[in-house]
Amino acid sequence: MRRIICILLCICTVFLSFASCSTLSSSAEERKTVLTVGEYEVPYELYYYVTNNLRKDLPEADEKTIEAEAFEMIREIYAVFSLAEDFGIDGDDKYIASIVDDAVKLAIEECGGKKEYKEALAEIHMNDSVFRLLKRHSQTAEELLSAIINSGKYPTDENALKNLVSGDEFIRVKQILIMSESSVSSADDTFYSTGEEHTDEEALEIAERVREKALAGEDFDSLVNEFGESLYMFNNTDGYYVCRGMWEKENEDAVFALEVGEISEVIKSPSGYSVFLRCDKSDSYIDSKIEDIADDYYKAQYNLLLKERIEKLTVEKTDAFEKAEK
């Protein structure tokens, strides 16, 4: 799910347009269905956008890899619409459409006109129709998260939430993250340091050396500040309060297997190489940060439900796929 977030979230607040403007309308070729995701039809224009941005994001990847990554990203987009239907949310309803339309006017004004707007989208291999789809996707996702929170399945009462966090569903951990050249960062790199880039071999060597220091009794917080490359952890003696669905599976499996006071092996994930320390929870911290922890919990439940839906949807090529110019 990480690459779709990296590509979409940085763009979706920038541009929108009028679907009714003939100068912005897609051609018949652009609208042609090249894939299906479950019952949803995927137009060529979306596939074109995704693959061209992946080529920029993964300059050394071959076309087979690009295609596979594109299929996963597109499946993730339509999984949101599919899951939303279970909660009575229609991604095409008037409310969501009105939000898109309100943003349209402001975006065209900021671009300086429809022509400039169209040119700006073209620079990122996008057209009006694709951006409207992605904006509709992001708004549907927002409505879906709200519906999940209010579904009655998850606690919303403050005391119930505190009991949940104090129980087995949450653990507290600290992390020393060493990033490498193959690490997948956040959409805007806000949460990672921008120091010297390591090769995979260098990052692993540093992580193993740091782990040995921790096992030898060196202060873990000091090691975080000296070696860690996650800005979340700098000068943060509280660490993370983690439940399933918040992190990459590799990291979650590793930290939930730890006993309190135990240091993990070096764990490799898409973010890089990590060493974790599991810690006792702090009741005072939970009391003071329950709203933030609750937000993370609800987003984690959203992630878990979405992952289940993604796994149920199948991507199929149509006859038009092979004929389309990639």
Side-chain angles (χ1 to χ4, degrees):
M1 204 172 294
R2 57 189 182 278
R3 283 206 175 93
I4 194 66
I5 292 172
C6 289
I7 289 180
L8 299 186
L9 293 188
C10 290
I11 298 172
C12 281
T13 57
V14 181
F15 302 106
L16 282 172
S17 185
F18 296 107
S20 59
C21 295
S22 60
T23 57
L24 300 177
S25 298
S26 302
S27 67
E29 191 68 23
E30 289 173 319
R31 294 194 303 270
K32 190 172 295 183
T33 300
V34 293
L35 300 170
T36 58
V37 179
E39 62 182 16
Y40 299 95
E41 296 182 345
V42 181
Y44 169 69
E45 57 199 358
L46 177 61
Y47 186 76
Y48 176 85
Y49 162 73
V50 171
T51 52
N52 276 283
N53 279 282
L54 279 171
R55 291 186 185 104
K56 180 180 178 181
D57 191 37
L58 305 171
E60 298 182 3
D62 58 28
E63 285 304 304
K64 185 176 181 180
T65 300
I66 294 295
E67 180 180 297
E69 289 280 342
F71 281 15
E72 286 307 298
M73 291 177 64
I74 290 169
R75 186 163 67 151
E76 290 162 6
I77 291 172
Y78 287 97
V80 169
F81 295 125
S82 176
L83 183 59
E85 290 183 8
D86 291 358
F87 287 84
I89 300 168
D90 179 2
D92 289 317
D93 71 14
K94 292 181 179 179
Y95 173 71
I96 292 176
S98 69
I99 291 176
V100 173
D101 289 339
D102 286 343
V104 164
K105 300 173 184 178
L106 177 60
I108 290 182
E109 182 179 316
E110 289 180 345
C111 286
K114 298 173 189 175
K115 179 176 179 291
E116 290 79 6
Y117 159 82
K118 185 176 181 179
E119 290 172 350
L121 289 183
E123 289 180 3
I124 53 173
H125 311 290
M126 187 187 285
N127 63 12
D128 174 72
S129 179
V130 169
F131 188 79
R132 290 187 67 87
L133 170 65
L134 297 183
K135 179 60 182 178
R136 183 164 59 89
H137 162 269
S138 65
Q139 186 61 40
T140 301
E142 186 176 320
E143 297 298 314
L144 175 57
L145 175 59
S146 178
I148 289 171
I149 294 172
N150 296 303
S151 66
K153 184 177 179 181
Y154 307 103
T156 55
D157 175 76
E158 184 173 294
N159 288 330
L161 285 166
K162 288 180 180 179
N163 289 334
L164 177 78
V165 177
S166 298
D168 294 336
E169 195 151 353
F170 273 81
I171 61 171
R172 177 189 173 199
V173 294
K174 299 180 181 181
Q175 176 193 31
I176 301 172
L177 171 67
I178 311 297
M179 298 184 67
S180 74
E181 58 192 357
S182 62
S183 294
V184 177
S185 185
S186 60
D188 59 2
D189 290 325
T190 301
F191 308 118
Y192 302 99
S193 67
T194 55
E196 180 183 353
E197 185 177 89
H198 315 294
T199 65
D200 283 346
E201 293 77 13
E202 290 169 344
L204 176 58
E205 188 277 330
I206 295 170
E208 289 175 338
R209 178 156 43 92
V210 170
R211 179 176 182 270
E212 290 301 318
K213 289 177 177 288
L215 289 173
E218 293 196 30
D219 180 67
F220 201 87
D221 292 329
S222 297
L223 292 172
V224 167
N225 292 329
E226 181 178 356
F227 295 98
E229 297 176 353
S230 168
L231 297 182
Y232 271 133
M233 280 300 308
F234 286 163
N235 297 315
N236 172 13
T237 58
D238 296 306
Y240 301 100
Y241 282 68
V242 180
C243 68
R244 292 284 185 178
M246 285 178 58
W247 276 1
E248 296 131 326
K249 186 177 186 301
E250 301 92 333
N251 288 342
E252 287 182 0
D253 287 347
V255 298
F256 274 92
L258 296 175
E259 299 292 335
V260 172
E262 186 178 0
I263 294 169
S264 73
E265 301 289 335
V266 174
I267 306 300
K268 182 180 181 180
S269 76
S271 294
Y273 295 87
S274 295
V275 178
F276 296 101
L277 169 66
R278 182 169 177 180
C279 307
D280 276 320
K281 299 173 192 172
S282 165
D283 290 339
S284 61
Y285 180 88
I286 294 172
D287 288 343
S288 65
K289 297 290 186 178
I290 189 59
E291 290 185 4
D292 293 336
I293 298 173
D295 285 343
D296 290 338
Y297 171 71
Y298 296 136
K299 291 172 185 175
Q301 305 318 302
Y302 169 95
N303 290 338
L304 291 171
L305 290 174
L306 187 60
K307 181 180 178 182
E308 289 179 5
R309 182 52 50 92
I310 289 169
E311 292 173 350
K312 292 179 180 179
L313 295 177
T314 302
V315 180
E316 301 286 350
K317 298 178 182 178
T318 68
D319 292 340
F321 180 85
E322 300 299 340
K323 299 176 184 178
E325 181 181 350
K326 307 302 191 299

